[in-house]
Amino acid sequence: MLHGPLLGKILMFAMPFALSGVLEQLFNSVDVMVVGRFASSEAMAAVGANTFLINLCINLFIGMSVGANVILSNHIGQYNNVAIRHAVSTTMLLSIINGILLLLIGLLLAPLALRAMGTPANVIDDAITYLRIWFVGSPFFMVYNFGASILRSKGDTRRPLYILIIAGVINTAVALVTVIVFKMSVVGVGIANDGAYVFSAIAVVYLLRREQGPFRLDYRHLRIYGVELKRILQIGIPAGIQGMVFSFSNIFVQSAINSYGSSAMAGASASQIFDAYCYFLLNAFSGACVTFMGQNYGAGKVDRCKRIFRICLICGAAATLIGNMILFFGDDFFLRFFTTDAEVAHFAKLRIAVTMTTQWIAAFYEIPASAMRGLGYSLQPALMTVFGTCVFRLIWIFTIHPIWPGFEQLMVIYPASWLLTDFIVFPAYLYISHKAFMFVLED
């Protein structure tokens, strides 16, 4: 990452990363597809109703894995093997602690939140059941994600992808058998999810145990190192809080969607999966930006940092736009995998028509925010993104939506918030990067 042409290396990093994200999303997609086609629309709505709530619970902890990626990338750029070894140990022990905390939080508080969101009576029981089963597997989910962040920090995005390919096959096979053969509905897809997470965690730990040098996971030296923990939390907590607040605002959006009934919930659930697939294309270049920027900034290579930003921005926006157009023009074809209910498909198409024509503009805040994190500035992009996407959406729900009601009108909340955040974050990156680069050049 520190030498030679950048475009090819960024693409080689980003494409497996994007496919990994797509395969992770496939876990949820399979759940929604299987129950939507072979159980009921109510079961499909129950699974989909949990999406934002699960994200709310996991985002703080996933943000810490972003912090680990940044810190490890900086250490690699500085050729500091002792610090790398300490960061690996801290990251993996932190994943176990976070997984246990996530399990407790999810089991105790999440069902209460589903009721507070106004989940319809014909959906609530299945939604709670699925949620509880999902959280049983959450510690394994954490171990995989933190372990994968270690591999990605040194440019290895292929092996996490291979793990998820096998995990996706496990998830799909178990879901189909439990739902179609044993008629287990949401219980079956929940079990399938957990089985895939268990495999992913075991596989990533196995790979780290076989690593050579400072990246090798050694149980005997597994401990929390205070210096590394502090740095991981300084980057990771703002990123995690941003994700939490983002999901918190989306819970209010979901509550507004719930008011239009279970068909609207099911349709929104299907179309949200379309969003997620395209987001992972963008997120891959965001991840590349964080990792490449972190290593090159650690090595003091300012010109490469500038080129990294431009390449990631252009590629991220272009990849997202291509994904958006494929799903927008192919909505009839892709929706057949999720539902045969005409009313559910109607609501899904309403949402797709808005989000799949505009999601690409989110690249103009996602990539600058990731670049700032790679430079060591995490709080600033978090606060700006929280205001632009989260606070704005809450204001919309409580002020604009009551006077401009309707499901289709509600969907405008997404492009409006993306555009506002672009105008806040992009200029901030230009200012902060100039400041950071001047510091390196003067030093």
Side-chain angles (χ1 to χ4, degrees), residues 371-440:
M372 283 187 270
R373 292 191 183 97
L375 297 174
Y377 294 84
S378 186
L379 181 60
Q380 294 87 340
L383 292 176
M384 288 181 283
T385 305
V386 163
F387 177 79
T389 59
C390 307
V391 175
F392 176 77
R393 288 182 185 181
L394 291 175
I395 293 171
W396 185 293
I397 291 294
F398 290 108
T399 59
I400 297 176
H401 184 241
I403 61 176
W404 193 34
F407 181 88
E408 190 171 9
Q409 290 80 357
L410 177 62
M411 296 302 101
V412 179
I413 197 172
Y414 294 108
S417 62
W418 294 330
L419 193 59
L420 174 62
T421 311
D422 287 347
F423 283 108
I424 297 172
V425 175
F426 197 96
Y429 164 74
L430 297 178
Y431 171 77
I432 287 175
S433 63
H434 176 74
K435 178 181 174 182
F437 295 153
M438 288 300 296
F439 176 78
V440 170

Side-chain angles (χ1 to χ4, degrees), residues 305-319:
C305 288
K306 294 178 180 178
R307 294 203 302 275
I308 288 163
F309 173 74
R310 291 195 296 269
I311 292 169
C312 289
L313 179 63
I314 294 170
C315 290

Side-chain angles (χ1 to χ4, degrees), residues 175-258:
L176 289 170
V177 171
T178 54
V179 174
I180 298 173
V181 178
F182 296 105
K183 310 297 181 184
M184 295 175 71
S185 190
V186 296
V187 174
V189 293
I191 292 172
N193 240 330
D194 287 354
Y197 290 147
V198 170
F199 167 80
S200 300
I202 293 172
V204 81
V205 169
Y206 173 79
L207 291 179
L208 290 172
R209 290 281 294 156
R210 292 175 61 85
E211 281 290 311
Q212 300 298 317
F215 285 93
R216 184 175 184 272
L217 177 62
D218 190 338
Y219 295 145
R220 296 172 300 174
H221 301 123
L222 197 62
R223 55 166 289 192
I224 296 286
Y225 291 87
V227 173
E228 301 305 322
L229 178 63
K230 181 181 178 181
R231 294 191 65 194
I232 289 171
L233 296 182
Q234 283 176 338
I235 301 293
I237 286 181
I241 290 175
Q242 173 188 323
M244 283 183 67
V245 177
F246 185 79
S247 296
F248 181 73
S249 68
N250 281 336
I251 284 176
F252 285 89
V253 177
Q254 182 66 48
S255 297
I257 291 171
N258 292 353

Side-chain angles (χ1 to χ4, degrees), residues 341-355:
D341 187 316
E343 189 175 7
V344 170
H346 167 71
F347 281 106
K349 288 182 179 181
L350 290 178
R351 191 177 184 282
I352 288 168
V354 177
T355 60

Side-chain angles (χ1 to χ4, degrees), residues 97-368:
I97 295 170
N98 286 346
I100 294 171
L101 288 174
L102 180 58
L103 172 63
L104 296 175
I105 291 169
L107 292 179
L108 293 174
L109 300 181
L112 299 176
L114 276 173
R115 294 188 177 94
M117 288 166 60
T119 306
N122 63 331
V123 171
I124 186 70
D125 289 341
D126 280 346
I128 292 174
T129 298
Y130 176 79
L131 193 63
R132 285 175 171 160
I133 296 172
W134 189 93
F135 276 108
V136 169
S138 60
F140 301 98
F141 174 84
M142 284 289 115
V143 169
Y144 167 75
N145 276 280
F146 277 73
S149 74
I150 293 172
L151 296 175
R152 289 170 183 150
S153 71
K154 67 188 190 76
D156 183 359
T157 56
R158 293 186 180 183
R159 288 188 294 173
L161 171 62
Y162 300 152
I163 291 172
L164 287 176
I165 289 173
I166 300 172
V169 172
I170 293 171
N171 185 60
T172 303
V174 175
L176 289 170
V177 171
T178 54
V179 174
I180 298 173
V181 178
F182 296 105
K183 310 297 181 184
M184 295 175 71
S185 190
V186 296
V187 174
V189 293
I191 292 172
N193 240 330
D194 287 354
Y197 290 147
V198 170
F199 167 80
S200 300
I202 293 172
V204 81
V205 169
Y206 173 79
L207 291 179
L208 290 172
R209 290 281 294 156
R210 292 175 61 85
E211 281 290 311
Q212 300 298 317
F215 285 93
R216 184 175 184 272
L217 177 62
D218 190 338
Y219 295 145
R220 296 172 300 174
H221 301 123
L222 197 62
R223 55 166 289 192
I224 296 286
Y225 291 87
V227 173
E228 301 305 322
L229 178 63
K230 181 181 178 181
R231 294 191 65 194
I232 289 171
L233 296 182
Q234 283 176 338
I235 301 293
I237 286 181
I241 290 175
Q242 173 188 323
M244 283 183 67
V245 177
F246 185 79
S247 296
F248 181 73
S249 68
N250 281 336
I251 284 176
F252 285 89
V253 177
Q254 182 66 48
S255 297
I257 291 171
N258 292 353
S259 67
Y260 293 99
S262 60
S263 292
M265 291 173 64
S269 297
S271 63
Q272 284 160 11
I273 290 171
F274 287 25
D275 294 2
Y277 283 128
C278 294
Y279 172 75
F280 281 119
L281 295 174
L282 173 55
N283 189 55
F285 289 99
S286 295
C289 192
V290 167
T291 305
F292 277 75
M293 190 79 80
Q295 285 199 23
N296 283 274
Y297 186 65
K301 297 177 180 286
V302 170
D303 287 340
R304 285 178 70 83
C305 288
K306 294 178 180 178
R307 294 203 302 275
I308 288 163
F309 173 74
R310 291 195 296 269
I311 292 169
C312 289
L313 179 63
I314 294 170
C315 290
T320 308
L321 177 60
I322 292 169
N324 287 166
M325 292 300 99
I326 291 172
L327 293 173
F328 173 69
F329 288 109
D331 58 353
D332 284 323
F333 171 77
F334 292 111
L335 283 172
R336 292 195 192 102
F337 292 99
F338 294 91
T339 184
T340 56
D341 187 316
E343 189 175 7
V344 170
H346 167 71
F347 281 106
K349 288 182 179 181
L350 290 178
R351 191 177 184 282
I352 288 168
V354 177
T355 60
M356 289 295 97
T357 55
T358 57
Q359 191 187 23
W360 61 275
I361 64 177
F364 292 89
Y365 76 81
E366 287 281 0
I367 300 298

